[in-house]
Structure formats: structure tokens, C-alpha cells
Amino acid sequence: MKILGIETSCDETAAAVVEDGRRVLSNAVYTQIDIHKLYGGVVPEIASRKHVEKISAVVEQALSEAELCARDLDAVAVTYAPGLIGALLSGVSFAKGYAYSASLPLIPVHHLRGHVAANYLTQPQLEPPFLALIVSGGHSHIVRVKGYTDYEILGRTHDDAAGEAFDKVARILGIGYPGGQNVEALAGEGDPFALSLPHTKYPDAPYDFSFSGLKTNVINQVHQAEMKGSPLPKADVAASFCEAITSTLCEHFLAAAKDLGEKTLVLAGGVSANGILRRKISQAAKEADCRLYMPELRYCGDNAAMIASQGFYEAQAGRFAGLDLNAYATMDIAEAVF
């Protein structure tokens, strides 16, 4: 089954063709990073307009790379939630029009389910059930994946997501957008234990996260040091922040795995590209005698191959949508509302 995937949930305009959920035939991405760098973060209106401008060409590129045309496809899969609502609507509207004009079924895909599916693209032996840590710009979840379309959230952030915290710390350090990769690069030059930083825990929800306090503590320490005329070394701040946030993610994830007896672990989401997190969680999984799967770096960020992959499994479950499909800015990964 050859599926055209379309992804426009934030600032990447992406299209891909994937066969049977695992074999990537093409993966085209137009990134808006250079545009949004000027503003220190994603400007929703600009992102939406760029999607409208670029989506047709990106889809044509994906089909060309796959050496296919519309009549060779079996379905169209599109991200419909969650994300920036204008950006999502750009992709959903195009997908509906394309599916209608080509007489193809339309498959709605949840963005976070797509991130989990990124692992299926290069890990042919990976099948549910497993425990997943999904870490992105807008989400930090620990999820039990019972089946390809069956999810249970065990832990989530109460405020800032990990990726969001990275962007805000990058801004206070003046090292620009995107924050994650810039903070990680700077952290390699610093002392990860230079700053004492908090680790918020919830006794009644041991797998939940809170990164707002961590972010605020970093900002306060930086400002206080500047007011005293003794600025903190930026590399030390970046390294300490990375140590704190990655340690928290690993600790909660491995605690959930131990408590639930889960031995198959999956890392997913844009922040899964963070080298510090990948090394730390790999070591923790090894010590816990767990098998860990991580997506290739090219599939960590937003892309359409992961959407087409998950689209295959949504189709297998009979989840198709009509031309009344809408976009949703927020939606639980376990829901199936469309």
C-alpha cells in the first residue's frame, strides 16, 4: 500500500511516499528555520502562508523522487492534530483537495503518533507493545503503546514541554533559534554541574514532568549574575540545563519501565535528536537490561514519512476521514476524533 503523507503542523512543509508503513520511497521537506530565526521562534501566520506557498511543489517533489504519480497511490495521510491551527489547516485543506481529485481515501494522523512511527521506518523488528518517551517542542509524554493505534498516556508535562524549555533557555542565552541544537552545541564546552537546578516531582503522578520551574531557575540565575556584574559562563549554563532536563526525562522514563515491567523502550519526537539525551537514555536502558529503539536523526524532526507510516496502520484499523475533516490545535494521542 503506497501512501502519500503530508505534514504541516508547525514550520516544516513536508511530503513523502511510504509503502506498507515501513519502506520510504521519498521524503521531501521544506524548512522555514531561516525565516523564523529572524523572530527568535515560529510566527504562526508566516508559517501558515509559507505552507500554502510551498505545499504543492513539495508534494510534486515527493512524487518525483518516488517515481510515481497520483494514480499509483493508494491513499493520502495528513497530520490533522495537534499543532498550529493555521499550519494544520493548510495541510489538511490541500490533502482533502488532492484526495478528492485523485479519488483516493483520506487518512487522518495524529502528529505524536507519527513521531512514534518514525521508529518503524528504520527498525523493521519493532512492533507494539512497548513504552515510548515522546519529547518535542510542544509535548513531553510517557506513553504505553499497546498497539499501532492503541495508546495510553502514563506521564505528561504540567507546563512547558522539553523542547519549549530549550528554546526559552536559548533565548535568554542569546544563542538563537532553534534552541535545542544551539543549546546542545554550547553545552559541549561547559560544566554540566556548574549550576544547582531543581527537579520537580509529583508524588501522586511519578511519571509526570514540569520544566517551567527549571527554566525559570536558569533565567533567574543568569539575570542575578548579570546584575552582580559577574555573568555566568554561557557554556556552563547550557551544560547544566541539558544535564538537568535529560536526567529528569531518563529518570521518569526508566522508572515507568521498571514499575510496569516494560523491556522494550522507544524514544521519539524532535528532541530525540539531542545527542546528550540519546547517550544518557542508551546507557540507562542498557543498565536496566532494556532494548531501546531511537529514530534515525533524519526522522526525528517533523517529516511526512512518519505520517505516511502511521497512516498505513490507521488505515489497517479502518480509520478514514471524509471531506469534512477538520484540524485541531490540541488533541490527546489516545483520542480518535475527526
Side-chain angles (χ1 to χ4, degrees):
M1 186 177 190
K2 296 182 181 69
I3 296 178
L4 170 67
I6 295 174
E7 155 63 27
T8 62
S9 65
C10 190
D11 62 339
E12 311 287 359
T13 311
V17 180
V18 175
E19 186 173 16
D20 296 337
R22 302 275 178 162
R23 181 169 173 247
V24 180
L25 303 182
S26 66
N27 188 35
V29 180
Y30 169 77
T31 180
Q32 302 178 24
I33 286 178
D34 288 342
I35 297 171
H36 298 288
K37 275 182 178 178
L38 299 172
Y39 308 97
V42 177
V43 180
E45 177 65 18
I46 293 176
S48 302
R49 290 179 180 273
K50 273 297 173 184
H51 288 314
V52 172
E53 178 184 329
K54 297 294 183 179
I55 184 64
S56 181
V58 173
V59 168
E60 287 302 314
Q61 180 185 343
L63 291 173
S64 176
E65 290 178 1
E67 299 182 344
L68 300 172
C69 60
R71 65 175 176 270
D72 299 315
L73 300 172
D74 296 295
V76 177
V78 62
T79 303
Y80 75 113
L84 301 177
I85 191 62
L88 287 166
L89 283 168
S90 300
V92 168
S93 297
F94 183 91
K96 289 195 292 187
Y98 193 93
Y100 178 76
S101 66
S103 299
L104 294 169
L106 182 65
I107 308 168
V109 177
H110 190 286
H111 183 69
L112 296 188
R113 294 188 181 192
H115 272 305
V116 172
N119 285 275
Y120 303 146
L121 299 174
T122 52
Q123 309 286 354
Q125 68 274 41
L126 177 61
E127 296 180 349
F130 53 77
L131 193 67
L133 173 64
I134 308 172
V135 200
S136 66
H139 302 84
S140 296
H141 284 7
I142 295 176
V143 178
R144 176 186 275 164
V145 182
K146 301 176 182 179
Y148 287 110
T149 59
D150 187 4
Y151 306 80
E152 178 189 2
I153 297 177
L154 303 176
R156 67 200 317 165
T157 181
H158 285 234
D159 37 63
D160 289 1
E164 182 181 4
F166 268 106
D167 285 341
K168 290 178 178 176
V169 168
R171 191 173 297 126
I172 197 67
L173 292 177
I175 56 176
Y177 173 85
Q181 62 189 55
N182 293 338
V183 171
E184 181 189 353
L186 185 59
E189 305 169 13
D191 177 4
F193 303 103
L195 276 65
S196 177
L197 296 172
H199 177 174
T200 302
K201 294 184 178 181
Y202 296 92
D204 58 338
Y207 313 136
D208 282 7
F209 303 105
S210 173
F211 296 121
S212 179
L214 170 61
K215 170 208 67 184
T216 302
N217 191 285
V218 170
I219 293 172
N220 288 342
Q221 289 197 49
V222 169
H223 283 164
Q224 289 169 9
E226 289 175 347
M227 287 189 290
K228 293 177 181 178
S230 301
L232 297 171
K234 290 185 178 181
D236 286 349
V237 175
S240 297
F241 172 75
C242 282
E243 171 63 27
I245 202 165
T246 56
S247 293
T248 298
L249 290 167
C250 287
E251 179 183 326
H252 291 206
F253 188 37
L254 270 296
K258 180 181 179 181
D259 293 345
L260 299 170
E262 294 282 359
K263 287 296 184 179
T264 302
L265 308 181
V266 165
L267 182 61
V271 183
S272 66
N274 184 282
I276 298 171
L277 177 60
R278 290 171 81 97
R279 290 191 295 273
K280 195 181 292 290
I281 205 166
S282 294
Q283 182 61 35
K286 182 178 180 181
E287 293 174 358
D289 193 29
C290 293
R291 176 170 292 183
L292 174 67
Y293 295 91
M294 298 184 289
E296 287 188 10
L297 293 179
R298 58 179 169 162
Y299 297 128
C300 290
D302 292 349
N303 65 87
M306 68 184 194
I307 301 304
S309 174
Q310 182 59 28
F312 172 77
Y313 297 105
E314 299 291 341
Q316 294 293 301
R319 296 190 68 244
F320 296 95
L323 295 180
D324 58 346
L325 177 67
N326 202 355
Y328 300 85
T330 60
M331 182 179 289
D332 193 306
I333 189 175
E335 292 181 13
V337 178
F338 56 90

